[in-house]
């Protein structure tokens, strides 16, 4: 065994990002690695356990490494700690560039403070969680308290009890995963896989088993371990990690109910539909909300990127999150208006305000119904310009929903979802079956299959990818495919074999340079020739600024472009698209992004090629006319957005869109584009 004695110089200590970097590094080695701080010690491969140590800046930790690769593991850990665990090397004992020591996120707005019950007519501000307006009485959500009365009956018995509760929880999560995949899509269902990972967290299990060995019942041991870990995570200054506390509480409560025989936590709701108010809701509680009885919900804490908000959006449930503790003071039965797009809750509004909200709600409903009725018709502007409206999908179910929902094809098939939910890569035959079924579902309509886009935030554990300090700037998308030729070739063979069952096109993600396009294209051509398959169109995603700037050059060698505005915005503004505070500012309507879109369209059209948009911007009602005005030929949007986008296209003229685009290009900020006001 090797022992290291190191000082953590990071200004926030071993928390947040440095902790993640540390744990990811430890996981790469087979050796057992433990980290000790004072009296406390942790398994270095468990994030929640390392976070729970709470090592502050300037403190000394001891690290024990034992196993076959202990030499290399210890050397790598020592170097990583010395290099600042992803925050840069230390000088004079401090990490340059790191924020000052603070427990608060510097940019995070202070939560609103309310004293006593809010007055009638008060508008409480939170963060938009899921769009839609709801009007109704408040129902305070009280989580059934689970009493832990179980007494210790012996180590073996308690361990067996724990094991069977964990097995049952795993089964429940598998079926919840299937249920949500059915109601929403594979990507939202992944949340319940994260929960399965928490169930298997080595440190959590160590803590629970140690407590059982000390004479605590399985229920007591489990309850203490999960509530303790969740409370520590909730305190963290890294908002993304803090949002994961809700996931630990959720898994904690699930297993505890199984251990104590308590019934499922769903409260009994009144017959009249209500608006739920809660401190926070767990993802399982959100999925369990009966859509017949719940109009929407508002939580005091939480965030737009937490799993609860993601699920609300997928399930079409209006939601406001992070509205502050004041919302918990609202008396049961009080009428409120919840506006999930504005992120507001109006308490006890008078009749005229309620009437206005109901009218807005009614209008939204009518527009949705009218749009749904004509979803099968093409989207043609009032002056006769046709825009193709196609779907973003991630599964065969998504493909079937898209056909039923009026999609004119698929503009983006995110194939990585076939790879994410498993322990090994799907075989060529497995992939072929999915691509063939999707191609057949669309018949003669085009389906653009995007080749694997993993790396960045999409991790695939079985590929054993090396740790990267900046994964969004690392080996992701086509770069990763070119360095993993077997993975890439299997996928391309599967696509080429499926191509004769419909109208498939291939698209490469994250192209930054023409060399990558040439290399990827050459592999496709080689496989096509070997299989004797028909030629397919080959396009690229324009989501790296260099590709937009070089569009005129790339257009000679790509058959089409599809602009990934999610990544193009992130890379243009240098703002992480997942960042809890920056993500809201990373607006694709920023004139810098719009200028890159224009450059892409001009480059493509000059070479006779077409351009689509497949990022979220394509379904943003303020962006749709601007994108059309910039010359975008196709919009690829999420399946539920198809009818509304088509309906909107029919209400505008191309000339009006062009004027709006010209105006937007002349603005200085995204805010000005959205307000329609040039002010410089
Ligand atoms: C994009 O970046 O805009 C895009 C559509 O790709 P993804 O969101 O899958 O990265
Ligand atoms: Mg992208």
């Amino acid at each position: 065994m090797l022992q290291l004695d190191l000082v953590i110089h990071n200004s926030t200590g071993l928390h947040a990002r440095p902790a993640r970097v540390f744990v990811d590094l430890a996981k790469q080695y087979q050796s057992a690695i433990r980290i000790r701080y004072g009296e406390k010690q942790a398994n270095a491969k468990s994030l929640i356990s390392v976070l729970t140590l709470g090592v502050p800046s300037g403190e000394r930790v001891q690290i024990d490494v034992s196993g076959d690769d202990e030499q290399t593991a210890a050397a790598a850990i020592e170097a990583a700690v010395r290099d600042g665990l992803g925050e840069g090397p230390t000088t004079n004992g401090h990490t340059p560039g790191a924020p000052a020591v603070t427990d608060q996120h510097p940019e995070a707005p202070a939560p609103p403070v309310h004293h006593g019950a809010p007055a009638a007519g008060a508008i409480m501000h939170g963060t938009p969680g899921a769009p839609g307006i709801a009007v109704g009485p408040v129902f305070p959500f009280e989580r059934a308290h689970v009493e832990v009365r179980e007494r210790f009956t012996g180590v073996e018995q308690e361990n067996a009890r724990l094991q069977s509760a964990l097995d049952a929880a795993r089964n429940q999560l598998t079926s919840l995963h299937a249920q949500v995949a059915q109601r929403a899509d594979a990507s939202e269902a992944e949340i319940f896989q994260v929960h399965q990972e928490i169930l298997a967290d080595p440190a959590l299990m160590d803590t629970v088993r140690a407590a059982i060995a000390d004479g605590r019942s399985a229920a007591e041991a489990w309850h203490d371990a999960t509530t303790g870990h969740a409370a520590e995570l909730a305190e963290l200054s890294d908002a993304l990690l803090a949002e994961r506390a809700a996931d630990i509480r959720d898994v904690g409560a699930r297993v505890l109910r199984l251990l104590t025989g308590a019934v499922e936590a769903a409260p009994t709701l009144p017959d009249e539909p209500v608006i739920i108010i809660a401190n926070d809701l767990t993802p399982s509680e959100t999925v369990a909300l009966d859509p017949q009885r719940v109009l929407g919900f508002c939580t005091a804490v939480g965030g737009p990127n937490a799993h609860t908000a993601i699920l609300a959006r997928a399930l079409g449930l209006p939601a406001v999150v992070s509205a502050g503790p004041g919302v918990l003071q609202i008396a049961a039965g009080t009428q409120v208006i919840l506006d999930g797009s504005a992120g507001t809750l109006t308490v006890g509004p008078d009749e005229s305000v309620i009437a206005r909200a109901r009218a807005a709600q009614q209008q939204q409903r009518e527009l949705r119904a009218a749009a749904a009725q004509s979803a099968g018709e093409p989207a043609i502007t009032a002056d006769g310009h046709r825009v193709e409206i196609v779907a973003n999908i991630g599964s065969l179910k998504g493909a079937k929903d898209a056909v039923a929902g009026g999609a004119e094809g698929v503009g983006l098939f995110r194939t990585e979802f076939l790879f994410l939910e498993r322990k090994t890569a799907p075989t060529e035959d497995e992939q072929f079956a999915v691509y063939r079924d999707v191609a057949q579902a669309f018949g003669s309509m085009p389906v653009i299959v995007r080749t694997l886009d993993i790396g960045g935030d999409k991790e695939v554990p079985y590929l054993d990818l090396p740790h990267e300090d900046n994964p969004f700037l690392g080996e992701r998308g086509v770069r990763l495919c070119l360095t993993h030729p077997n993975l890439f070739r299997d996928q391309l063979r599967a696509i080429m074999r499926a191509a004769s069952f419909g109208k498939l096109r291939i698209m490469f993600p994250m192209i930054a340079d023409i060399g990558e396009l040439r290399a990827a294209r050459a592999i496709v051509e080689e496989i096509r020739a070997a299989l004797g398959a028909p030629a397919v169109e080959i396009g690229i995603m324009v989501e790296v600024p260099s590709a937009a700037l070089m569009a005129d050059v790339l257009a000679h060698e790509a058959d089409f472009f599809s602009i990934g505005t999610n990544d193009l915005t992130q890379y243009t503004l240098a703002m992480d698209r997942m960042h809890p505070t920056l993500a809201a500012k990373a607006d694709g309507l920023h004139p810098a992004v719009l200028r890159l879109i224009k450059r892409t369209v001009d480059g493509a059209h000059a070479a006779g090629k077409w351009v689509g948009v497949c990022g979220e911007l394509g379904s943003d009602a303020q962006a749709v006319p601007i994108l059309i005005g910039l010359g975008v030929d196709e919009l690829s949007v999420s399946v539920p957005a198809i009818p509304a986008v088509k309906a909107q296209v029919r209400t505008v003229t191309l000339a009006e869109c062009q004027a709006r685009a010209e105006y937007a290009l002349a603005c200085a900020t995204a805010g000005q584009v959205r307000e329609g006001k040039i002010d410089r």
Side-chain angles (χ1 to χ4, degrees):
M1 182 171 81
L2 294 175
Q3 281 195 325
L4 299 169
D5 190 285
L6 302 170
V7 176
I8 301 295
H9 287 301
N10 299 71
S11 60
T12 54
L14 199 49
H15 268 263
R17 181 155 184 240
R20 254 186 294 192
V21 171
F22 182 84
V23 172
D24 286 348
L25 180 64
K27 279 189 189 158
Q28 290 176 27
Y29 298 95
Q30 282 175 341
S31 293
I33 306 174
R34 296 200 71 75
I35 169 165
R36 288 180 284 125
Y37 170 56
E39 299 292 295
K40 298 194 264 180
Q41 54 169 297
N43 177 346
K45 298 180 185 180
S46 152
L47 181 61
I48 47 182
S49 146
V50 168
L51 291 173
T52 309
L53 286 179
V55 183
S57 180
E59 289 291 303
R60 197 168 276 285
V61 294
Q62 288 73 44
I63 298 170
D64 301 336
V65 190
S66 86
D68 289 348
D69 55 3
E70 60 188 28
Q71 292 285 356
T72 38
I77 289 172
E78 190 167 11
V81 170
R82 193 186 50 235
D83 290 347
L85 292 167
E87 290 186 337
T90 57
T91 50
N92 304 327
H94 289 285
T95 309
V101 181
T102 166
D103 280 333
Q104 291 291 320
H105 201 293
E107 291 100 342
V113 179
H114 299 278
H115 302 286
I123 299 180
M124 311 190 73
H125 292 268
T127 304
I133 295 173
V135 181
V138 156
F139 181 84
F141 181 93
E142 305 259 339
R143 193 162 292 135
H145 179 65
V146 180
E147 285 284 340
V148 181
R149 293 210 186 87
E150 279 62 27
R151 295 275 158 261
F152 179 71
T153 53
V155 172
E156 223 170 275
Q157 290 87 330
E158 295 301 330
N159 273 330
R161 200 170 280 170
L162 175 68
Q163 196 50 53
S164 77
L166 292 173
D167 291 344
R170 206 162 285 121
N171 288 342
Q172 288 181 353
L173 288 169
T174 306
S175 89
L176 257 180
H177 179 272
Q179 249 180 52
V180 177
Q182 189 63 29
R183 278 173 75 187
D185 198 13
S187 51
E188 281 86 22
E190 258 177 65
I191 291 163
F192 295 102
Q193 284 200 303
V194 172
H195 285 200
Q196 294 204 339
E197 273 168 39
I198 295 175
L199 272 186
D201 187 279
L204 185 61
M205 289 310 136
D206 285 353
T207 320
V208 179
R209 295 231 153 83
I212 291 175
D214 265 2
R216 320 265 331 263
S217 71
E220 286 174 317
W222 176 261
H223 174 259
D224 291 356
T226 50
T227 48
H229 283 311
E232 292 243 6
L233 275 183
E235 301 273 290
L236 293 182
S237 55
D238 181 325
L240 265 184
L241 279 177
E243 284 175 355
R244 297 291 90 91
D247 294 311
I248 297 188
R249 279 196 211 100
D250 197 354
V251 176
R254 175 175 303 285
V255 176
L256 196 63
R257 283 196 298 275
L258 288 160
L259 283 167
T260 57
V263 281
E264 190 70 42
T268 318
L269 297 174
D271 287 342
E272 184 193 6
V274 291
I275 292 174
I276 300 268
I277 304 278
N279 185 51
D280 199 5
L281 290 173
T282 65
S284 313
E285 286 162 350
T286 309
V287 175
L289 294 175
D290 177 356
Q292 303 302 319
R293 293 186 169 180
V294 177
L295 302 165
F297 68 81
C298 173
T299 59
V301 300
N305 296 316
H307 288 149
T308 296
I310 295 171
L311 280 170
R313 290 195 286 274
L315 301 173
L317 203 57
V320 173
V321 296
S322 193
V327 294
L328 303 175
Q329 309 286 333
I330 305 172
T334 307
Q335 284 288 320
V336 294
I337 300 169
L338 179 135
D339 187 334
S341 310
T344 56
L345 191 75
T346 308
V347 185
D350 64 29
E351 281 308 317
S352 64
V353 178
I354 292 188
R356 274 206 303 278
R358 287 207 191 280
Q361 199 184 25
Q362 182 56 23
Q363 196 190 12
Q364 279 183 1
R365 257 189 232 124
E366 283 168 14
L367 285 175
R368 256 202 309 272
Q373 274 220 320
S374 51
E377 310 294 317
I380 302 173
T381 62
D383 53 355
H385 174 70
R386 178 158 183 182
V387 184
E388 244 179 88
I389 309 297
V390 292
N392 290 349
I393 62 165
S395 62
L396 180 57
K397 175 181 178 294
K400 289 180 177 160
D401 291 348
V403 175
E408 299 171 276
V410 171
L412 170 64
F413 179 10
R414 289 184 164 103
T415 56
E416 50 279 5
F417 292 124
L418 302 179
F419 290 72
L420 291 179
E421 294 174 17
R422 15 188 331 138
K423 300 221 172 335
T424 54
T427 62
E428 180 190 319
D429 282 347
E430 282 174 291
Q431 292 187 62
F432 160 71
V434 177
Y435 304 147
R436 177 200 57 205
D437 291 352
V438 171
Q440 281 178 330
F442 280 89
S444 61
M445 292 185 273
V447 172
I448 299 179
V449 184
R450 178 175 76 180
T451 55
L452 201 49
D453 181 21
I454 47 178
D457 60 324
K458 299 167 195 153
E459 290 175 33
V460 177
Y462 54 80
L463 287 184
D464 253 344
L465 300 174
H467 165 78
E468 292 181 308
D469 280 349
N470 283 312
F472 275 114
L473 301 181
E475 257 194 24
R476 59 168 294 206
V478 76
R479 299 172 187 172
L480 186 130
C481 284
L482 291 172
T483 54
H484 291 72
N486 291 342
L487 192 70
F488 195 33
R489 282 169 182 274
D490 279 353
Q491 180 174 39
L492 291 173
R493 258 194 307 271
I495 299 172
M496 296 305 297
R497 282 170 56 198
S500 52
F501 291 84
K503 189 171 176 187
L504 293 188
R505 293 172 175 156
I506 292 178
M507 175 160 76
F508 303 126
M510 288 292 295
I511 292 282
D513 176 84
I514 198 154
E516 291 165 340
L517 169 59
R518 286 180 182 152
R521 232 194 139 112
I523 299 176
V524 174
E525 190 42 45
E526 185 197 312
I527 289 173
R528 192 196 65 73
L531 290 174
V536 295
E537 285 183 30
I538 294 175
I540 62 165
M541 289 201 64
V542 175
E543 49 187 349
V544 181
S546 59
L549 292 166
M550 300 297 285
D552 53 340
V553 174
L554 288 162
H556 292 294
E557 300 188 30
D559 296 319
F560 62 89
F561 290 156
S562 185
I563 306 177
T565 50
N566 307 336
D567 276 315
L568 186 62
T569 306
Q570 141 166 290
Y571 293 125
T572 303
L573 300 178
M575 288 182 185
D576 182 347
R577 61 192 267 190
M578 306 289 287
H579 195 283
T581 54
L582 291 178
K585 296 182 198 157
D587 190 340
L589 275 186
H590 194 290
V593 180
L594 297 179
R595 288 178 187 207
L596 289 174
I597 294 176
K598 175 162 170 37
R599 193 166 170 128
T600 306
V601 171
D602 290 348
H605 285 181
K609 306 292 167 66
W610 62 267
V611 181
V613 163
C614 61
E616 292 298 310
L617 202 64
S619 55
D620 179 328
Q622 284 184 292
V624 167
I626 296 174
L627 294 174
I628 295 172
L630 288 172
V632 167
D633 306 283
E634 173 237 53
L635 296 174
S636 190
V637 303
S638 69
V639 175
I642 292 169
V645 174
K646 280 189 164 183
Q648 191 186 1
V649 171
R650 297 184 194 114
T651 63
V652 296
T653 62
L654 179 60
E656 179 189 320
C657 291
Q658 284 166 338
R660 281 210 224 177
E662 202 179 312
Y663 194 83
L665 288 170
C667 285
T669 66
Q672 287 170 12
V673 175
R674 290 205 179 269
E675 283 166 24
K677 216 164 55 189
I678 299 179
D679 176 24
R680 3 173 217 161

